[in-house]
Amino acid sequence: MKKTLLAAGIAAMMLGATPVMAKTLVYCSEGSPEGFDPSLYTAGTTFDASSKTIYNRLVQFKPGTTEVEPALAKSWEVSDDGLEVTFHLRDDVKFQTTDFFTPSRLLNADDVIWTFERQMDKENPYYKLANGSFEYFNSMSMGELIKSIDKVDDHTVKFVLTQPNAPFVANLAMDFASIHSKEYEQQLLDEGKPELANQQPVGTGPFQFVNYREDAAIRYQANPDYFRGKQPIDNLVFAITSDAQVRYQKLMAGECQVMPFPNPSDVEAMQQNDDINVLEEAGLNVAYLAYNTQQAPFDKPEVRKALNMAINKQAIIDAVFQGAGQVAKNPIPPSMWGYNDAIQDDRYDPEKAKQMLEDAGVENLKMNIWAMPVQRPYMPNARRTAELMQSDLSKVGVDAEIVTYEWGEYLKRSSDTKRDGAVILGWTGDNGDPDNFMGVLLGCDGVGGANRSQWCYKPFDDLIQKARTLDSQEDRAKLYEQAQEIFKEQAPWDTLAHSTVFMPLRKEVTGYKIDPLGGHSFEGVDIE
């Protein structure tokens, strides 16, 4: 224990933290954030470093569940026709006081309205700064859904919708809906430095931003004015450590207390170590290979299905996931309502795949397989997965080259409609609703953004759009089941795996809960 606390103290001192005796928790993060404005991004690594630490939302998911509960809004009600959702704000929420901002007022309705206007109003200076690139907001059709946001009074905000939307409240618990300070961002505009909102963030959350050493470490301090009370730990450090083996070594040495995404081959040894607790949960996730359906020959469903049949997914589960997962046949995980278990997967059949390619007139195909440079809950080793795919595809006459980029660049380039080949990616659910997978990742509104297959297919999209407007979960589930049939026929992805998520932490860490939605939150976490 002394060694652990000493190591944490040394780590804190190296990052400039004071005092030495303050409680410091070090989290060995797997990658660098793209920025600190969660409205601009979709990556969990970025959300962990921004929305999960610095910000709050109107509503939140109860820790460890997908159940929506109050946060900045103490209550809300939905009109009988489903077209108005009214939120009643807490009246005691302070924005963080930092070296670069001192708020003059408490959070109010203006901040809520500002948060969404900056994502939907083309005249808003932050909309212009981002060129409207709010990936989640756009892929979920929020701009078309929200007719207006009305200030009833300083602590009451009413969203007026163009049509009923079943997942709307749960969607507002997602990271992109983190509430920003209008006063702070107006100050940055007045100073001619609006871009600093993405570099020096201010929120209402449990921790406040101190500094960021790029690709090395992020330092936070407990927010002394947090509306739920100051956190048990004084300092939180994200030590950016991309290599899982190095994260493991640091965890063993007490240089960090929590690490995500262990190598599957290391899990058994971790479970047998008396100094480590390994939390475990079936992931609400999917890993996939997304073809660019706007580029030949991947614009042909028969070609995509042939490639799917050429890839041995069980071999990937065995070699990459070490058995800690299952082959995926649908774009949503089997634990989610609306899952269509009657779907038959594309079977592994290289000979049939080769014949199908010939019948489609595809010969001597050369393609790129994009391999993620980081580990994610749904994919422990994308490079190894790509190598297995490369070998499989060679057996049917396809010459596949593996390419990769730095994580932020990978996400940016892979969303381009002119991107070549097929990209390995995945998703962990944000709100427990099938729409969060099928609408965001495969709907027409996501093309050029979260829809990495660039697939816009009206029969599928019509079902997804209709499902959003229904109140009955049973009726919505039927539409999602039909949509999965269409997805399987059209094969914009090869669905690869649903993984088991392991979360190792040192025994002295208390209060940490594994998040079914894949995030890492340190609210309420302590070190004994």
Side-chain angles (χ1 to χ4, degrees):
M1 171 64 77
K2 289 182 179 178
K3 179 180 178 182
T4 302
L5 292 178
L6 178 60
I10 291 171
M13 285 190 291
M14 289 173 65
L15 292 163
T18 57
V20 176
M21 296 307 294
K23 275 190 180 181
T24 298
L25 186 143
V26 181
Y27 168 62
C28 277
S29 172
E30 80 286 358
S32 301
E34 302 151 275
F36 292 91
D37 180 348
S39 68
L40 296 171
Y41 308 108
T42 62
T45 305
T46 299
F47 292 155
D48 290 342
S50 58
S51 43
K52 296 288 191 291
T53 49
I54 300 164
Y55 293 93
N56 295 109
R57 288 144 292 285
L58 289 172
V59 292
Q60 67 178 26
F61 296 108
K62 186 177 179 180
T65 77
T66 59
E67 177 187 342
V68 177
E69 65 177 10
L72 295 179
K74 58 187 179 182
S75 64
W76 65 90
E77 63 262 358
V78 181
S79 63
D80 292 341
D81 62 6
L83 296 179
E84 295 182 355
V85 186
T86 304
F87 292 92
H88 303 279
L89 307 181
R90 295 176 59 102
D91 59 8
D92 60 348
V93 178
K94 297 181 180 179
F95 280 99
Q96 296 151 359
T97 298
T98 69
D99 291 342
F100 43 87
F101 176 65
T102 300
S104 66
R105 61 169 176 79
L106 299 176
L107 173 139
N108 65 30
D110 293 335
D111 301 301
V112 176
I113 294 171
W114 171 262
T115 292
F116 293 95
E117 281 187 344
R118 69 201 295 281
Q119 299 184 68
M120 62 188 290
D121 180 0
K122 294 181 180 180
E123 297 305 312
N124 186 285
Y126 281 89
Y127 183 99
K128 293 178 180 179
L129 181 67
N131 197 27
S133 297
F134 299 100
E135 192 169 324
Y136 257 126
F137 189 88
N138 295 335
S139 64
M140 296 164 68
S141 309
M142 295 292 278
E144 291 75 31
L145 175 64
I146 299 173
K147 182 178 180 180
S148 67
I149 310 175
D150 302 334
K151 179 180 179 179
V152 179
D153 58 44
D154 276 351
H155 293 95
T156 310
V157 179
K158 180 170 67 177
F159 288 77
V160 181
L161 308 183
T162 57
Q163 61 182 10
N165 186 273
F168 181 72
V169 173
N171 288 344
L172 294 189
M174 291 167 54
D175 302 83
F176 82 94
S178 296
I179 302 301
H180 294 245
S181 166
K182 180 178 182 179
E183 182 184 19
Y184 173 54
E185 295 188 351
Q186 188 61 58
Q187 173 185 303
L188 293 178
L189 287 169
D190 294 342
E191 295 172 353
K193 303 174 183 178
E195 69 282 355
L196 290 185
N198 197 24
Q199 301 168 31
Q200 296 181 336
V202 167
T204 59
F207 297 95
Q208 55 194 53
F209 177 83
V210 177
N211 58 47
Y212 172 41
R213 295 204 336 250
E214 189 172 357
D215 298 329
I218 315 168
R219 181 177 160 230
Y220 310 88
Q221 290 178 342
N223 176 6
D225 298 320
Y226 188 45
F227 67 91
R228 291 194 182 98
K230 180 191 169 298
Q231 294 302 295
I233 56 175
D234 301 290
N235 301 304
L236 174 64
V237 177
F238 278 34
I240 297 166
T241 313
S242 59
D243 189 294
Q245 193 60 44
V246 177
R247 292 200 296 275
Y248 184 18
Q249 292 168 0
K250 288 185 175 182
L251 187 74
M252 291 286 290
E255 293 176 16
C256 63
Q257 287 75 49
V258 183
M259 67 162 282
F261 317 131
N263 285 326
S265 58
D266 292 331
V267 170
E268 185 176 356
M270 291 179 176
Q271 291 170 330
Q272 295 175 358
N273 190 311
D274 291 338
D275 292 328
I276 297 175
N277 277 328
V278 181
L279 307 183
E280 177 180 343
E281 186 170 273
L284 195 71
N285 62 40
V286 64
Y288 60 82
L289 180 73
Y291 305 104
N292 187 345
T293 62
Q294 294 193 17
Q295 301 294 321
F298 310 108
D299 56 341
K300 297 180 179 180
E302 61 268 30
V303 171
R304 302 193 294 261
K305 288 187 78 69
L307 296 175
N308 287 357
M309 294 176 72
I311 294 172
N312 187 343
K313 296 193 288 189
Q314 187 60 53
I316 293 172
I317 294 292
D318 296 340
V320 177
F321 292 80
Q322 301 283 304
Q326 65 185 91
V327 168
K329 63 180 181 180
N330 289 324
I332 63 175
S335 58
M336 178 169 278
W337 62 269
Y339 182 83
N340 189 342
D341 198 35
I343 294 289
Q344 295 296 310
D345 202 9
D346 298 315
R347 69 185 187 278
Y348 173 55
D349 190 340
E351 290 303 318
K352 178 67 173 176
K354 190 172 184 179
Q355 185 61 52
M356 288 175 66
L357 289 173
E358 290 178 4
D359 292 346
V362 176
E363 297 180 359
N364 303 315
L365 175 61
K366 294 184 177 180
M367 64 178 287
N368 285 339
I369 297 176
W370 292 46
M372 298 153 42
V374 298
Q375 291 175 285
R376 300 302 302 143
Y378 48 76
M379 176 52 65
N381 190 330
R383 179 77 192 193
R384 179 63 180 138
T385 299
E387 290 169 352
L388 293 170
M389 291 178 174
Q390 183 183 51
S391 176
D392 286 341
L393 291 171
S394 70
K395 297 171 186 175
V396 298
V398 176
D399 182 8
E401 180 179 351
I402 300 171
V403 299
T404 192
Y405 299 91
E406 179 273 329
W407 184 221
E409 191 67 16
Y410 185 95
L411 292 170
K412 179 181 177 182
R413 289 182 180 233
S414 65
S415 65
D416 191 338
T417 57
K418 295 182 172 60
R419 185 207 76 230
D420 52 23
V423 58
I424 296 174
L425 258 176
W427 195 258
T428 299
D430 291 293
N431 62 9
D433 194 293
D435 179 73
N436 182 244
F437 284 78
M438 301 174 75
V440 173
L441 303 181
L442 294 160
C444 292
D445 289 329
V447 170
N451 185 340
R452 261 40 182 221
S453 60
Q454 317 304 340
W455 182 63
C456 178
Y457 190 65
K458 192 173 187 301
F460 177 92
D461 201 63
D462 286 348
L463 290 172
I464 298 305
Q465 295 293 343
K466 183 178 179 181
R468 289 173 173 168
T469 68
L470 303 180
D471 289 330
S472 166
Q473 187 176 107
E474 182 180 355
D475 291 341
R476 295 182 69 209
K478 290 177 182 177
L479 296 181
Y480 291 127
E481 288 170 8
Q482 294 175 39
Q484 287 164 76
E485 294 174 1
I486 295 173
F487 168 87
K488 208 64 187 178
E489 292 168 1
Q490 293 293 311
W493 297 352
D494 188 6
T495 48
L496 300 177
H498 306 295
S499 75
T500 301
V501 176
F502 297 98
M503 193 70 193
L505 46 130
R506 293 191 62 86
K507 283 284 180 72
E508 55 268 21
V509 176
T510 63
Y512 185 91
K513 293 185 179 181
I514 195 166
D515 182 359
L517 302 174
H520 300 95
S521 170
F522 297 94
E523 183 170 356
V525 176
D526 199 358
I527 303 175
E528 287 184 343

